[in-house]
Amino acid sequence: MKPYHLLKLAAAGAMLACAAALANAEERSRPLGVVELFTSQGCNSCPRADAYFGELAQSGDVVALAYHVDYWDYLGWRDTMGSPENTTRQYEYARSLGERAVYTPQAIVNGRVHMNGASRAKVGSALDTMAREGKGLIVDIKLEEGVDSVIIEAGKAPDGYGKANLVLVYFDPVTPVEIKRGENAGKTITYWNAVSGVQSVGMWHGKPMRVEIPAMELKKRGAAGCAVLLQGIGKNGNPGPILGAAIVGAPAS
C-alpha cells in the first residue's frame, strides 16, 4: 500500500475516533437516567431501598427522586414526608404501565419500567440497558442559575418524538427521621430528595425551547432544589417515558 493511502486511512481513523469521543462526551453530559422511588416510613420493606436510593442520589450521574406515599399511614405511623399527590403519581404510573396495583418500595426507571426499589441489580441493569438501547435520556436539558431566576433550555427531539411536558419536581433537604411507631419503630432513617411538589411549566413540541422561572419559587416552596423532567405523555394522559432530565441543587451529605 502506498504511503499516501496510509496517511489518508490514518486521518480517517482519527476523524472517526474524534467523532466517537465527542459523542461519548455528549452522552456523559446527560445523567445516566432517572430513578423515582415510591417509599414510605411505615413500610418495613423500604429501609433497604431508601439506603440504596441515598447512594444513587449522591452518585452524581442519576436524577433520583423519592415520592413518599400515604397509604401505609394506617399502620401506626404517619409518614412525615408523605402526601396524597405522591400517591396519585404512583397510581398514574400504574395506569400508564398497565399495572393494576401499586407497592412499596417501587422504583420506576426513566418512566418506562418498574421493579423493587431495593434491587440494585435490577435498577442498575435497567439504567444501563436503556442507555444502550436509546431509551434513556435522549434530549439535552440545560440549566442556568442566576440571581433572580433559573433558565431551563430543552433541546430538539430525535426522530419520532415530538411532544412532552416540562415538569419541575421540588425536593426536600437530606433529612434524618426518628420513627417512633409502626413497622419501623425505633429506627432513624435518612431520606434523600423527598419530593415536596410537582409543577408543570410548559409543553415541548420537539423543538428547542427556553423557560425562565423565578428563583423565588424555590425559596417560597422551601425546597433544597428541584429536578427538571421532560416527560412524554403516556396512556390516557398519564406520565410517560422521560426523555431528558437535569437537577438543580445537588444533595449534601
Side-chain angles (χ1 to χ4, degrees):
M1 186 177 290
K2 294 182 179 180
Y4 73 88
H5 285 146
L6 291 173
L7 288 172
K8 287 173 72 175
L9 285 172
M15 289 176 67
L16 287 172
C18 182
L22 287 172
N24 288 336
E26 181 180 358
E27 288 178 4
R28 285 196 299 270
S29 70
R30 301 171 185 163
L32 177 61
V34 177
V35 176
E36 297 175 275
L37 176 69
F38 291 88
T39 186
S40 171
Q41 295 169 9
C43 158
N44 65 5
S45 301
C46 288
R48 281 182 57 234
D50 297 322
Y52 172 45
F53 179 83
E55 295 174 23
L56 289 174
Q58 296 173 81
S59 70
D61 61 355
V62 173
V63 174
L65 300 165
Y67 299 80
H68 287 243
V69 298
D70 63 353
Y71 50 79
W72 296 126
D73 288 357
Y74 77 93
L75 294 177
W77 177 257
R78 185 180 181 86
D79 193 307
T80 60
M81 299 170 171
S83 73
E85 291 77 18
N86 290 345
T87 300
T88 296
R89 183 167 175 83
Q90 188 179 22
Y91 274 100
E92 288 173 346
Y93 264 131
R95 290 191 288 271
S96 183
L97 297 172
E99 300 294 333
R100 293 185 178 182
V102 297
Y103 61 92
T104 56
Q106 182 185 38
I108 296 180
V109 179
N110 295 340
R112 294 177 180 270
V113 296
H114 72 95
M115 68 281 298
N116 188 308
S119 176
R120 294 169 178 264
K122 289 183 179 179
V123 173
S125 175
L127 285 165
D128 292 337
T129 300
M130 281 190 262
R132 287 196 309 270
E133 296 179 350
K135 296 179 181 178
L137 305 184
I138 55 176
V139 178
D140 287 325
I141 303 292
K142 296 181 180 179
L143 300 173
E144 182 180 340
E145 297 182 70
V147 176
D148 300 318
S149 66
V150 176
I151 297 170
I152 305 166
E153 293 183 355
K156 65 179 181 179
D159 292 341
Y161 293 93
K163 191 174 182 181
N165 290 314
L166 191 64
V167 180
L168 299 185
V169 182
Y170 300 93
F171 57 83
D172 289 336
V174 181
T175 306
V177 176
E178 181 185 357
I179 300 172
K180 298 180 180 179
R181 294 182 299 279
E183 293 188 342
N184 290 317
K187 295 180 180 179
T188 297
I189 301 173
T190 299
Y191 294 102
W192 295 78
N193 295 9
V195 171
S196 57
V198 179
Q199 176 187 10
S200 180
V201 294
M203 288 292 299
W204 173 83
H205 294 278
K207 298 179 180 179
M209 70 177 292
R210 182 179 186 273
V211 175
E212 186 171 8
I213 62 169
M216 186 57 67
E217 186 70 18
L218 279 172
K219 295 178 183 178
K220 184 171 67 177
R221 290 174 176 267
C226 74
V228 180
L229 306 181
L230 188 64
Q231 186 155 33
I233 301 169
K235 185 177 179 181
N236 297 324
N238 291 304
I242 295 173
L243 310 178
I247 197 163
V248 179
S253 58

